[in-house]
Amino acid sequence: MTSKAAFSDCVAATDFHMHCTKCREMLNGVLAPYFLKMMTSDEGDEKFSLLLDVSNDGYLSKTSNLCLCSSGVFGDTVTEESVSVLEGDSVTLYTGLTAITEVDLIQWRFGSENTLLAEISVMAGTISVFDDVLDERFRDRLKLDHQTGSLIITDTRTEHTGDYRLQINRVIKRFSLTVYAHLPVPVISSNSSHCSSSSSSSSSSSSSSSSSSYCSLFCSVVNVGDVTLSWYKGNSLLSSISVSDLSISLSLPLEVEYQEKNSYSCVINNPITNQTTHLDISKL
């Protein structure tokens, strides 16, 4: 029968009775499409979920800001999350559960081949970790939280970057993990062949000349990937270059006046960390 709590303001609904099978058909064929259309109109481009309970007391509810599809009507529930971590640190991929007693099976998989990394079978009472797969890149680095089923990866390496797939019964959650390498300190150097004197003249009542010395500087880093290298004058960005390749060398030029008193710095950064070298012109 329909839920009196959900439709308490409707006499027709509270007095309406039907068996579970017909109730399921009504939910799937009538109410679900209606609410989907209504929520799409209300939410616009916002992500939402349409959750269906086809038990004897069926109800519909809405949860904003989640990318979900009902397993009862539209297929498996799927959500996605991006996670970043610095190499060597530990990272936890959370199930969102407070306890695993309400689920039958939890599985963690990795990569395009969906390689099984860990599994909790509540029915069988087993907790298994398979850290010897994929050339043992996860050896002694995988742990499972026995209360929540969350996956913990310790002492992370860049080779742990990739897609992780969590399945709880028929609910699927995907994690895109990026492990960033430690950044080197940028090295500032000068090329004497690019230092020169230039003269300029001006006249008011008479002509005079003055000369200034300029040098070409280079900020360099080696064996980096997915970084941005930048020159700053004080807090103002002068120039930058970004790369997504792995293990590449970068060099960014800058021309400055030798006697200039402004503060310059070279910065290398990725989304979670940075390294800075400040320029001391007198030491060049």
Side-chain angles (χ1 to χ4, degrees):
M1 64 181 180
T2 57
S3 172
K4 295 183 179 181
F7 301 101
S8 58
D9 58 343
C10 178
V11 176
T14 55
D15 290 342
F16 185 75
H17 296 266
M18 67 171 57
H19 292 293
C20 182
T21 301
K22 291 184 177 180
C23 182
R24 182 183 296 110
E25 294 300 321
M26 182 186 73
L27 288 171
N28 290 351
V30 180
L31 292 181
Y34 169 76
F35 275 94
L36 180 61
K37 181 179 180 180
M38 181 183 69
M39 291 169 67
T40 302
S41 175
D42 290 345
E43 295 291 322
D45 294 333
E46 293 293 324
K47 298 178 180 179
F48 63 85
S49 63
L50 180 61
L51 307 179
L52 242 67
D53 180 353
V54 291
S55 62
N56 287 342
D57 286 329
Y59 66 92
L60 291 169
S61 61
K62 178 175 73 174
T63 304
S64 296
N65 302 319
L66 291 174
C67 179
L68 301 175
C69 298
S70 171
S71 60
V73 179
F74 306 104
D76 289 341
T77 300
V78 178
T79 64
E80 296 183 3
E81 181 178 334
S82 296
V83 182
S84 299
V85 66
L86 188 63
E87 187 175 29
D89 291 345
S90 297
V91 62
T92 301
L93 306 181
Y94 293 97
T95 61
L97 300 175
T98 56
I100 62 174
T101 54
E102 301 300 323
V103 301
D104 299 325
L105 182 67
I106 297 176
Q107 288 184 330
W108 285 97
R109 297 179 180 272
F110 175 77
S112 58
E113 301 297 324
N114 281 326
T115 303
L116 184 62
L117 297 180
E119 179 181 85
I120 297 178
S121 176
V122 178
M123 298 291 290
T126 59
I127 298 177
S128 305
V129 173
F130 309 101
D131 60 1
D132 57 343
V133 298
L134 300 172
D135 299 325
E136 299 190 345
R137 74 179 68 176
F138 293 100
R139 172 65 71 181
D140 299 325
R141 288 184 168 92
L142 296 180
K143 296 181 180 180
L144 276 176
D145 187 311
H146 292 187
Q147 180 177 350
T148 65
S150 298
L151 181 67
I152 304 167
I153 308 172
T154 63
D155 191 20
T156 54
R157 294 289 179 263
T158 54
E159 61 185 354
H160 299 143
T161 293
D163 295 325
Y164 293 76
R165 181 179 183 270
L166 164 67
Q167 183 162 352
I168 305 174
N169 294 339
R170 291 192 62 186
V171 177
I172 297 172
K173 187 174 184 179
R174 301 185 189 279
F175 297 83
S176 178
L177 174 64
T178 303
V179 181
Y180 289 95
H182 287 270
L183 296 177
V185 177
V187 175
I188 298 177
S189 60
S190 64
N191 189 332
S192 58
S193 65
H194 287 75
C195 294
S196 61
S197 293
S198 60
S199 57
S200 60
S201 60
S202 61
S203 59
S204 50
S205 58
S206 62
S207 296
S208 63
S209 64
S210 61
S211 64
S212 299
S213 177
Y214 289 84
C215 276
S216 292
L217 307 177
F218 297 89
C219 180
S220 305
V221 288
V222 297
N223 297 328
V224 294
D226 199 11
V227 298
T228 298
L229 188 65
S230 308
W231 274 112
Y232 284 86
K233 181 179 180 180
N235 294 323
S236 300
L237 177 65
L238 296 178
S239 60
S240 65
I241 183 173
S242 299
V243 295
S244 57
D245 298 331
L246 297 176
S247 299
I248 195 173
S249 297
L250 289 179
S251 184
L252 191 62
L254 177 70
E255 187 175 81
V256 297
E257 186 179 354
Y258 185 75
Q259 298 297 331
E260 193 173 357
K261 301 300 182 181
N262 287 304
S263 173
Y264 291 89
S265 59
C266 182
V267 180
I268 182 175
N269 70 281
N270 59 33
I272 61 175
T273 188
N274 65 78
Q275 291 278 15
T276 301
T277 298
H278 296 280
L279 171 63
D280 187 346
I281 297 181
S282 64
K283 293 182 179 181
L284 293 176

